[in-house]
Amino acid sequence: MKKLLFIFILMFVISCGGDYIDKPKNLVPKDQMAEILADLSINDQATFMYPNSNLEAGTRYVLKTHNVKPDDFVQSFKYYVVKEKMNGIAEEAQKIVLEKDPKADKYVKEKLKKNQNLPTFAR
């Protein structure tokens, strides 16, 4: 019984202990992260239009145009996910995509109007 109580206390102390992830050395700022995500989503859509295109090359190009190293992007992405800041960044990225492509705005509004009763995660 004492061992079981010790394990529960130990788990409580460990779970309450600070941050789960350290801030990366080269953290990509939120606004730049949103721009990168917007460009990556546009790149992803391009692969549907041109099936023989190389998604990896497009991803490298997007990161290179923003002067961000792949490791820095991945570490920043993990950091923002753990810190629960990715929703705001993704919403900002969606705004950027809609500004770049007005047809996408019309498409999104039509889909939302058509699927009003569905929860947001199922749309």
Side-chain angles (χ1 to χ4, degrees):
M1 185 67 177
K2 289 182 181 182
K3 288 183 183 181
L4 186 62
L5 182 62
F6 175 74
I7 290 173
F8 282 121
I9 292 172
L10 183 63
M11 287 176 52
F12 177 76
V13 170
I14 291 172
S15 67
C16 294
D19 290 336
Y20 293 109
I21 189 168
D22 294 330
K23 187 174 181 178
K25 225 188 269 187
N26 297 325
L27 182 67
V28 178
K30 291 180 188 178
D31 56 338
Q32 186 179 14
M33 189 72 152
E35 291 174 12
I36 293 171
L37 289 177
D39 289 344
L40 288 175
S41 66
I42 292 170
N43 179 49
D44 185 44
Q45 292 302 313
T47 60
F48 286 112
M49 293 178 63
Y50 305 104
N52 295 331
S53 62
N54 187 349
L55 179 65
E56 186 177 337
T59 302
R60 276 189 259 132
Y61 175 76
V62 168
L63 292 176
K64 187 176 181 179
T65 58
H66 289 280
N67 295 321
V68 175
K69 295 178 183 175
D71 291 335
D72 294 341
F73 175 77
V74 170
Q75 293 301 320
S76 298
F77 188 86
K78 287 179 185 179
Y79 177 78
Y80 288 132
V81 168
V82 169
K83 292 294 187 175
E84 298 178 357
K85 296 179 181 182
M86 190 49 72
N87 279 344
I89 295 171
E91 288 172 5
E92 186 63 31
Q94 183 178 8
K95 289 178 187 176
I96 293 169
V97 169
L98 295 177
E99 287 173 5
K100 288 183 177 184
D101 188 7
K103 291 180 183 178
D105 187 32
K106 181 181 174 186
Y107 177 79
V108 169
K109 286 180 181 177
E110 286 177 4
K111 284 292 186 180
L112 289 175
K113 188 176 182 180
K114 184 178 176 182
N115 298 322
Q116 288 179 347
N117 296 332
L118 290 176
T120 55
F121 64 87
R123 291 184 190 158

